[in-house]
Amino acid sequence: HVQLVESGGGSVQAGGSLGLSCVTSEYTYDSYCMGWFRQAPGKEREGVASIDSDGSTSYADSVKGRFTISKDNAKNTLYLQMNSLKPEDTAMYYCTGDKAGAPVTCAGGHCCRFGVWGQGTQVTVS
């Protein structure tokens, strides 16, 4: 049973920065498409950024130029660096990865079978 554990959320003022991490001991990041999604109260879940097994990245238009997704395969850790944060970035952020048989979901320009999800970490920008 694969588990993804996010950390790094918190509260920050507009214009500030936060870095999120997602770690697992059972998921080989270099073999899978990984991504970050977010969901604000009353809104649909939105794909924020994704990174493929070859390291190629993709972003939602709303975060391009401000957010950076990366991964450390040796540490099985996925990151999301968020700069120039805006109040509209306030949401629960979820780490996700490929799972065979899951429905195809897109984050930015990458569409993968995101079927393994973390518990989420809250980001609040005021």
Side-chain angles (χ1 to χ4, degrees):
H1 178 65
V2 178
Q3 288 187 314
L4 304 176
V5 180
E6 303 99 333
S7 61
S11 297
V12 66
Q13 291 188 335
S17 298
L18 279 175
L20 305 183
S21 299
C22 175
V23 65
T24 180
S25 61
E26 301 181 40
Y27 207 53
T28 307
Y29 279 21
D30 62 353
S31 301
Y32 297 91
C33 182
M34 304 292 298
W36 289 95
F37 281 68
R38 66 185 180 187
Q39 187 165 22
K43 294 187 177 181
E44 292 192 358
R45 186 179 61 187
E46 173 190 20
V48 174
S50 59
I51 184 166
D52 213 336
S53 55
D54 63 0
S56 60
T57 59
S58 187
Y59 299 90
D61 288 342
S62 58
V63 306
K64 277 182 182 176
R66 300 188 298 121
F67 289 13
T68 302
I69 187 172
S70 62
K71 60 179 179 174
D72 185 330
N73 292 332
K75 295 182 179 180
N76 271 356
T77 303
L78 181 72
Y79 302 98
L80 184 68
Q81 179 62 39
M82 305 181 293
N83 299 327
S84 301
L85 282 161
K86 305 175 181 180
E88 51 263 44
D89 294 319
T90 295
M92 187 72 79
Y93 283 71
Y94 298 92
C95 169
T96 182
D98 258 351
K99 182 178 180 181
V104 175
T105 312
C106 300
H110 271 140
C111 297
C112 303
R113 297 190 180 277
F114 292 121
V116 180
W117 298 86
Q119 82 288 351
T121 185
Q122 178 68 36
V123 171
T124 302
V125 185
S126 59

